[in-house]
């Protein structure tokens, strides 16, 4: 037993040594990305001053103020865990740093130009403006909203192109590192398996950031993205180079037991309470026995009591009509009712990840 443990320790050390340069590259890119999007987000706040003025959103909370030291430690943990997974050989350094100056400047400029419109929508409390758009007709009522007060909701090419900049500016460049908590769990679970035999779908793939990461980590696996928005699917296809399926997660057009894995990132906090168990059951249905769901979404107050005040403020400043009920949802019980059990968990900054397995 002692000899086997020693061999495993040596293998782990060998892997960390072999990928040390990759981990250093990831840390360097993360630092550049964090600096870039922290600056962009700070400039957007300076321009719009969202907490000031008579029309600024208001909220009350019994939770204590968030310690800046605690917040910084939580923020940095996302980058450290990301680099540690690269060092362990779970996935390669991810190309999400602002590597092309001209394109990065244009993306940031577009984000800043739109920030005033987003702020005016916030101050009006108008989260359903998109329902007047003909493109939104025929979609579920809960989907036809300006989530995050974003221009165009989920229905325009401009929104799809701008989305990642908005998210990265909001989280000071940590969005990719947070999402990859789910990738790390999946990569550990799949380590040593032949990728050519693996099939996975990224449900609610949005503009394709996580699907791109999946494609880099598992280049030989059969991967596809699924989303309800044609505009976001087009963006995801360009970004990931993988096939796309337009569908509602409530009714997946996939055969029972057809997938080795499903990934689902930042969807459940945007679903009404009545829809969450329906989607959970669909995700479980399409998995093979022994297949896994790699899930990531916002941390809940029970996960991070020290950050509870910030979590409670989030729906007040970003149109998130279902976030309050999500914050109180017992996710493990929700997925257990669908036949999935937790076999892995992780969290970093404002994201939690679960790996859930379907019974054999």
């Amino acid at each position: 037993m002692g000899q086997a443990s020693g061999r495993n320790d040596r293998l782990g050390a060998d892997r960390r040594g072999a990928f040390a340069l990759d981990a250093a590259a990831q840390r360097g890119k993360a630092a550049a990305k964090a600096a870039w999007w922290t600056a962009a987000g700070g400039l957007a706040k300076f321009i719009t001053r969202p907490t000031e003025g008579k029309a600024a959103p208001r909220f009350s909370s019994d939770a204590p103020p968030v310690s800046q030291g605690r917040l910084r430690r939580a923020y940095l943990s996302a980058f450290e865990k990301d680099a540690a997974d690269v060092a362990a050989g779970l996935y390669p350094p991810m190309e999400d740093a602002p590597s092309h100056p001209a394109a990065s400047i244009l993306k940031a400029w577009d984000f800043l130009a739109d920030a005033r419109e987003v702020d005016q929508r916030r101050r009006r409390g108008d989260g359903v403006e998109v329902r007047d758009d003909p493109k939104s007709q025929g979609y579920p009522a809960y989907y036809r909203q300006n989530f995050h007060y974003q221009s165009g909701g989920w229905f325009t090419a401009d929104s799809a192109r701008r989305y990642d900049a908005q998210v990265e500016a909001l989280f000071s460049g940590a969005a990719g590192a947070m999402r990859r908590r789910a990738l790390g769990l999946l990569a550990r679970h799949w380590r040593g398996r032949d990728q050519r035999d693996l099939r996975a779908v990224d449900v609610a793939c949005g503009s394709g950031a996580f699907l791109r990461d999946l494609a880099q980590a598992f280049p030989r696996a059969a991967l596809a993205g699924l989303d309800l928005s044609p505009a976001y699917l087009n963006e995801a296809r360009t970004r990931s180079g993988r096939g796309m399926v337009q569908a509602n997660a409530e009714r997946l057009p996939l055969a029972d037991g057809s997938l080795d894995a499903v990934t689902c990132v930042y969807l459940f906090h945007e679903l009404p309470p009545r829809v969450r168990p329906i989607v959970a059951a669909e995700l479980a249905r399409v998995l093979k026995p022994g297949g896994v769901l790699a899930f990531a979404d916002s941390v809940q107050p029970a996960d991070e009591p020290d950050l509870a005040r910030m979590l409670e403020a989030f729906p007040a400043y970003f149109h998130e009509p279902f976030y309050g009920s999500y914050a109180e949802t017992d996710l493990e019980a929700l997925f257990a009712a669908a036949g999935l059990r937790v076999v892995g968990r992780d969290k970093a900054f404002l994201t939690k990840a679960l790996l859930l397995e379907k019974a054999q």
Side-chain angles (χ1 to χ4, degrees):
M1 192 72 175
Q3 289 179 339
S5 176
R7 280 196 299 272
N8 288 336
D9 289 344
R10 286 194 297 276
L11 282 172
D14 288 344
R15 286 197 184 103
R16 287 190 293 273
F19 297 107
L21 289 178
D22 284 346
Q26 185 68 24
R27 286 190 175 92
K29 286 191 285 186
K33 181 181 178 184
W36 179 263
W37 289 115
T38 296
L43 186 54
K45 289 176 185 175
F46 177 79
I47 291 170
T48 62
R49 302 183 187 276
T51 62
E52 299 177 15
K54 292 182 179 179
R58 298 285 184 266
F59 89 103
S60 60
S61 172
D62 295 328
V66 177
S67 158
Q68 290 303 303
R70 173 71 183 87
L71 183 62
R72 180 170 177 78
R73 287 193 299 274
Y75 170 70
L76 292 176
S77 73
F79 300 111
E80 281 307 309
K81 288 189 172 185
D82 199 26
D85 281 352
V86 172
L90 293 176
Y91 48 79
M94 294 298 177
E95 297 292 338
D96 55 4
S99 55
H100 302 290
S104 298
I105 290 169
L106 287 173
K107 186 179 290 188
W109 178 259
D110 178 62
F111 156 71
L112 291 169
D114 183 62
R116 284 189 182 277
E117 288 191 35
V118 171
D119 187 59
Q120 290 304 310
R121 204 172 286 114
R122 177 188 296 117
R123 291 173 185 273
R124 294 194 305 269
D126 188 356
V128 294
E129 164 185 283
V130 76
R131 289 183 183 169
D132 296 328
D133 188 333
K135 297 190 201 70
S136 77
Q137 304 305 308
Y139 290 87
Y142 68 81
Y143 189 77
R144 296 169 60 210
Q145 304 197 47
N146 298 70
F147 286 95
H148 327 124
Y149 293 118
Q150 64 198 44
S151 302
W154 303 123
F155 298 98
T156 68
D158 286 343
S159 171
R161 187 189 67 249
R162 187 179 294 133
Y163 178 76
D164 283 322
Q166 292 171 323
V167 173
E168 292 293 2
L170 174 62
F171 295 115
S172 297
M178 291 192 297
R179 279 191 298 260
R180 286 192 286 273
R181 295 305 83 233
L183 178 60
L185 290 174
L186 180 60
R188 283 186 180 87
H189 185 77
W190 273 0
R191 176 167 257 168
R193 294 186 61 178
D194 188 340
Q195 293 184 19
R196 294 170 297 180
D197 297 331
L198 299 173
R199 294 167 54 85
V201 170
D202 186 25
V203 173
C205 66
S207 57
F210 189 72
L211 182 58
R212 177 203 57 197
D213 289 350
L214 284 172
Q216 289 188 50
F218 311 113
R220 305 188 75 182
L223 305 173
L226 182 146
D227 203 274
L228 196 49
S229 167
Y232 276 72
L233 285 171
N234 285 336
E235 185 72 16
R237 182 183 296 107
T238 299
R239 173 170 290 184
S240 69
R242 297 302 178 113
M244 299 291 145
V245 179
Q246 185 186 4
N248 190 327
E250 297 175 58
R251 296 180 298 277
L252 297 175
L254 302 166
D256 294 0
S258 57
L259 299 176
D260 298 283
V262 172
T263 60
C264 187
V265 177
Y266 301 145
L267 170 64
F268 272 60
H269 76 272
E270 294 184 346
L271 295 176
R274 65 173 181 80
V275 175
R276 290 185 195 122
I278 296 172
V279 174
E282 276 294 276
L283 299 179
R285 178 185 65 80
V286 300
L287 286 173
K288 297 175 181 177
V292 292
L293 164 64
F295 170 92
D297 213 309
S298 169
V299 293
Q300 297 166 293
D303 303 311
E304 291 286 0
D306 293 344
L307 304 181
R309 189 179 184 90
M310 172 182 284
L311 298 175
E312 291 172 14
F314 181 61
Y317 287 91
F318 302 92
H319 181 59
E320 292 283 5
F322 311 117
Y323 188 87
S325 66
Y326 165 83
E328 299 175 355
T329 297
D330 185 336
L331 292 171
E332 294 190 26
L334 174 71
F335 287 118
L340 301 174
R341 68 181 182 93
V342 176
V343 294
R345 50 170 57 85
D346 198 359
K347 65 178 179 179
F349 194 24
L350 300 174
T351 293
K352 66 190 297 181
L354 299 172
L355 190 72
L356 302 113
E357 186 177 58
K358 184 175 181 176
Q360 298 262 7

